[in-house]
């Protein structure tokens, strides 16, 4: 047994309870070996901030409440301040703090209604998930145990059918679902699970193997520790659908060389053979057929859009709708012509959609072949744009008709290099075919980072920092379309 001092092991919180439901080992490591956690990525930090922002925004459902501060404030102080607000008859309390049975919870919104209290848990999801029931149930358990008269428990989540028109209509942005009956039924389950967790915490590290629970319902932050025994080329590196990887793992099939090839679909067999034998594939006939669908002039086009924005930024926008804010366009009028480049990057805080589309239409010849990487994405954005800029519907429809997808030869494995590791993503295809073009050392190296950078521009005031971030965005997006130019050159060389 570990020599760690366990005097406070009985302490739990809402987040620790949810962690323990997902995996006892994760809870144990969090309490005794937090140094084994993975580093928090920029994307994770952005996701956490989104959750915080939505929680604050939802407070407008019950305005003029009192918030219990938690930054640089002790748990005891939070509890005492909450008690004072309750005693003072405050109707709405944000981030109310409670403790019972050595379990600490904070309630996003606590509402006093007809002499009793209602719990409102806020999530940035667009539906109620199983984990949310447990989240609200542990709050109900603690508040009831602490002696509060709780009559209702609700889950507040984003309504993804809402379309902004003017100021945000807070009641339409959110959907409120009553979970009271289910939460009450969960109370025995909550008590049982608390006992199991506390018994577990008295013992040694739980012997729990990796499994689907590592990422369900949340990505565990001890992944690097628990998965460190995986070899570089393991079954979990297989791309696409095929046999259940955890079933193979439990059978002792871990390395790619151990996988019976006859159980794999063709795409995964190609990946395995490529990885083990450094084997590549080139189907010249298929490549020629693809090239025959292209023509000059040819435009290489890539969009960048917002990502994970729950509060609509502009009129006519739904929660989480992608808003295009940037494009890169390389242009070849004919074979051996000078390669031209155009680009657009919207100013922050302004709806970019009309300007985005009109600049694009001015720079795209009507008869040009428009080459993109993942046709579904760009054509989807164009179709949404013509809902806003309706007068250009015919021109946009013509562009969409001229769009061709550079992904096709790689998705079909007509061209495959073992360095692609089974993926046909541009981020894998480009360095495998054009080794001098790489994303790794760039300040912005993927679409998520680009989206986060543009949203940060809304808050940055320092001119030098703004210029630095905008330049990083332009460099990143330009590489995507330049990479497509070089990839097409490689396909031509093949034939």
């Amino acid at each position: 047994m570990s020599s760690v001092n366990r005097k406070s092991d009985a302490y739990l919180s809402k987040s620790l309870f949810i962690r323990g439901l997902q995996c006892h080992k994760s809870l144990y490591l969090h309490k005794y070996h937090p140094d084994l956690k993975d580093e928090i990525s920029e994307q994770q930090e952005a996701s956490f901030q989104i959750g915080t922002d939505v929680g604050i925004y939802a407070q407008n459902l019950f305005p003029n409440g009192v918030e219990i501060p938690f930054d640089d404030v002790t748990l005891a102080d939070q509890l005492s301040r909450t008690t004072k607000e309750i005693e003072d008859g405050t109707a709405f309390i944000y981030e109310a703090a409670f403790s019972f049975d050595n379990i600490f919870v904070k309630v996003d919104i606590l509402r006093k209604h007809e002499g009793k209290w209602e719990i409102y848990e806020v999530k940035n999801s667009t539906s109620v998930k199983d984990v949310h029931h447990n989240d609200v149930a542990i709050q109900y358990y603690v508040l009831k145990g602490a002696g509060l008269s709780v009559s209702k428990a609700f889950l507040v989540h984003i309504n993804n059918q809402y379309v902004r028109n003017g100021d945000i209509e807070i009641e339409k942005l959110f959907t409120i679902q009553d979970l009271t009956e289910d939460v009450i039924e969960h109370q025995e389950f909550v008590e049982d699970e608390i006992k199991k967790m506390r018994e577990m915490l008295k013992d040694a590290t739980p012997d729990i193997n990796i499994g689907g629970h590592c990422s369900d319902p949340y990505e565990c932050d001890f992944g690097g520790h628990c998965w460190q025994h995986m070899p570089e080329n393991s079954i979990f590196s297989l791309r696409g659908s095929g046999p259940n990887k955890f079933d193979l793992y439990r059978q002792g099939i871990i390395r790619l060389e151990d996988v019976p090839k006859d159980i794999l679909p063709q795409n995964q067999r190609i990946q395995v053979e490529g990885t083990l034998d450094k084997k590549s594939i080139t189907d010249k006939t298929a490549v020629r057929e693809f090239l025959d669908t292209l023509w000059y002039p040819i435009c290489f086009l890539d969009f960048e859009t917002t990502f994970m924005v729950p509060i609509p930024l502009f009129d006519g926008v739904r929660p989480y709708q992608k808003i295009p804010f940037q494009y890169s366009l390389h242009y070849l009028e004919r074979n051996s012509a000078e390669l031209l480049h155009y680009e657009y990057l919207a100013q922050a805080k302004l709806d970019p959609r009309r300007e985005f589309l009109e600049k694009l239409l001015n720079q795209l010849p009507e008869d040009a072949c428009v080459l993109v990487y993942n046709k579904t994405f760009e054509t989807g954005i164009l179709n949404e744009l013509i809902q806003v800029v309706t007068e250009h519907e015919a021109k946009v429809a013509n562009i969409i008709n001229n769009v061709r997808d550079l992904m096709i030869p790689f998705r079909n494995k007509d061209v495959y290099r073992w360095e692609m590791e089974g993926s046909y993503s541009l981020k894998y295809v480009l360095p495998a075919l054009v080794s001098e073009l790489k994303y790794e050392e760039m300040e912005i190296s993927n679409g998520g980072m680009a989206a986060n950078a543009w949203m940060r521009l809304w808050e940055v005031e320092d001119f030098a920092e703004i210029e630095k971030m905008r330049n990083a965005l332009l460099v990143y997006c330009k590489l995507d379309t330049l990479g497509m130019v070089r990839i097409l050159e490689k396909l031509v060389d093949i034939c």
Side-chain angles (χ1 to χ4, degrees):
M1 182 178 291
S2 171
S3 59
V4 176
N5 187 323
R6 300 173 184 273
K7 289 183 180 179
S8 61
D9 290 355
Y11 169 80
L12 292 172
S13 66
K14 182 181 74 169
S15 61
L16 292 179
F17 177 74
I18 297 300
R19 180 186 288 268
L21 289 181
Q22 180 168 339
C23 177
H24 276 192
K25 185 177 181 180
S26 179
L27 173 58
Y28 187 97
L29 293 175
H30 176 87
K31 289 185 73 70
Y32 302 137
H33 304 286
D35 55 302
L36 298 178
K37 283 186 179 181
D38 302 331
E39 290 187 16
I40 298 176
S41 69
E42 180 180 319
Q43 291 297 100
Q44 288 173 315
E45 288 182 345
S47 179
F48 298 153
Q49 187 60 50
I50 288 169
T52 299
D53 292 345
V54 169
I56 294 172
Y57 215 88
Q59 293 173 0
N60 293 301
L61 289 166
F62 305 102
N64 303 315
V66 174
E67 182 170 5
I68 305 301
F70 51 89
D71 288 336
D72 301 320
V73 178
T74 65
L75 299 187
D77 195 26
Q78 294 178 55
L79 293 169
S80 64
R81 293 192 187 194
T82 300
T83 300
K84 182 178 185 303
E85 295 302 331
I86 291 174
E87 292 174 347
D88 289 349
T90 302
F92 308 128
I93 307 175
Y94 313 137
E95 300 296 336
F98 295 89
S99 181
F100 167 71
D101 192 20
N102 208 12
I103 302 171
F104 179 83
V105 302
K106 290 183 72 66
V107 180
D108 287 335
I109 301 172
L110 188 66
R111 177 197 186 198
K112 190 170 188 180
H113 181 64
E114 297 180 350
K116 295 187 177 182
W117 294 92
E118 298 174 345
I119 296 169
Y120 291 83
E121 172 66 15
V122 182
K123 297 296 182 186
N124 62 1
S125 65
T126 57
S127 63
V128 179
K129 302 177 181 178
D130 289 343
V131 66
H132 298 156
H133 292 261
N134 295 321
D135 194 314
V136 180
I138 186 67
Q139 295 178 57
Y140 185 92
Y141 172 81
V142 171
L143 269 63
K144 290 285 286 187
L148 203 69
S149 180
V150 181
S151 60
K152 293 284 186 179
F154 298 92
L155 195 287
V156 182
H157 66 81
I158 297 291
N159 170 22
N160 61 357
Q161 300 305 306
Y162 168 67
V163 178
R164 180 172 180 171
N165 183 19
D167 293 337
I168 294 289
E169 298 170 275
I170 196 72
E171 295 82 5
K172 294 181 180 180
L173 173 64
F174 289 102
T175 296
I176 301 177
Q177 293 197 226
D178 189 342
L179 302 186
T180 309
E181 183 177 343
D182 182 79
V183 162
I184 292 173
E185 291 177 355
H186 261 65
Q187 292 307 292
E188 185 176 346
F189 169 80
V190 169
E191 289 190 60
D192 289 344
E193 291 300 318
I194 290 170
K195 292 176 184 177
K196 291 176 184 177
M197 291 179 199
R198 285 175 168 161
E199 286 300 314
M200 174 273 298
L201 290 170
K202 296 176 183 177
D203 211 333
T205 306
D207 184 17
I208 298 175
N209 212 333
I210 60 172
H213 59 272
C214 292
S215 57
D216 183 21
Y218 304 114
E219 195 71 35
C220 180
D221 47 12
F222 288 101
H225 171 72
C226 294
W227 286 69
Q228 61 183 325
H229 63 294
M230 280 294 111
E232 182 179 0
N233 295 319
S234 78
I235 55 171
F236 295 102
S237 65
L238 288 172
R239 306 272 182 169
S241 59
N244 185 287
K245 299 180 184 69
F246 286 111
D247 285 346
L248 294 176
Y249 175 75
R250 286 186 284 269
Q251 296 171 41
I253 300 173
I254 298 176
R255 300 178 182 275
L256 288 184
E257 54 261 39
D258 300 330
V259 183
K261 292 182 182 178
D262 60 348
I263 70 171
L264 297 175
Q266 182 183 11
N267 283 357
Q268 290 187 343
R269 284 202 303 273
I270 290 173
Q271 180 185 347
V272 170
E273 291 170 356
T275 300
L276 299 180
D277 304 328
K278 302 294 186 284
K279 180 179 178 181
S280 297
I281 292 175
T282 303
D283 186 336
K284 290 187 178 182
T285 300
V287 173
R288 286 192 190 98
E289 290 176 354
F290 171 74
L291 292 176
D292 286 344
T293 67
L294 312 181
W295 66 92
Y296 289 101
I298 186 168
C299 295
F300 304 81
L301 182 63
D302 179 71
F303 295 164
E304 298 301 331
T305 68
T306 56
F307 175 73
M308 291 293 291
V309 181
I311 313 299
L313 301 173
F314 312 110
D315 284 356
V317 176
R318 303 181 309 277
Y320 295 113
Q321 181 177 338
K322 292 180 173 63
I323 303 298
F325 61 83
Q326 179 180 13
Y327 67 74
S328 174
L329 171 65
H330 275 90
Y331 173 72
L332 272 176
E333 185 174 2
R334 61 187 180 278
N335 189 23
S336 302
E338 179 187 0
L339 180 65
L340 303 178
H341 181 249
Y342 307 99
E343 59 191 1
Y344 169 79
L345 176 57
Q347 296 296 321
K349 299 184 181 180
L350 299 176
D351 186 346
R353 290 174 294 170
R354 175 174 290 275
E355 184 180 63
F356 179 102
L357 182 58
E358 291 183 342
K359 283 186 175 293
L360 181 63
L361 291 175
N362 287 334
Q363 293 168 348
L364 271 177
E366 287 188 15
D367 59 341
C369 173
V370 182
L371 195 60
V372 301
Y373 205 94
N374 187 5
K375 176 180 179 179
T376 303
F377 177 72
E378 267 79 13
T379 57
I381 296 299
L382 288 170
N383 276 316
E384 289 195 343
L385 285 172
I386 58 176
Q387 306 303 314
V388 180
V389 194
T390 55
E391 64 268 30
H392 297 309
E393 182 175 357
K395 290 183 179 180
V396 174
N398 182 61
I399 291 174
I400 291 174
N401 188 56
N402 290 338
V403 169
R404 299 295 181 267
D405 197 343
L406 186 57
M407 179 189 286
I408 289 175
F410 307 101
R411 185 185 61 202
N412 294 346
K413 297 294 190 288
D414 299 328
V415 177
Y416 180 74
R417 301 293 179 262
W418 64 268
E419 297 94 337
M420 296 176 189
E421 300 178 19
S423 174
Y424 50 82
S425 162
L426 183 61
K427 301 301 184 288
Y428 283 83
V429 171
L430 180 58
L433 291 182
V434 189
S435 58
E436 64 270 21
L437 296 182
K438 298 179 180 179
Y439 291 92
E440 288 84 352
E441 298 177 0
M442 298 175 62
E443 186 173 346
I444 295 174
S445 58
N446 60 59
M449 293 176 69
N452 290 339
W454 190 66
M455 292 304 299
R456 286 204 304 273
L457 286 173
W458 288 49
E459 301 175 356
V460 175
E461 296 182 357
D462 180 74
F463 179 77
E465 181 66 16
I466 290 172
E467 288 303 299
K468 179 182 177 183
M469 292 172 65
R470 288 182 63 86
N471 182 65
L473 281 164
L474 293 171
V475 168
Y476 165 70
C477 196
K478 183 177 181 179
L479 179 59
D480 276 349
T481 51
L482 178 61
M484 291 163 60
V485 173
R486 301 296 177 238
I487 289 171
L488 182 62
E489 292 172 351
K490 291 292 184 181
L491 294 182
V492 172
D493 289 344
I494 286 173
C495 298

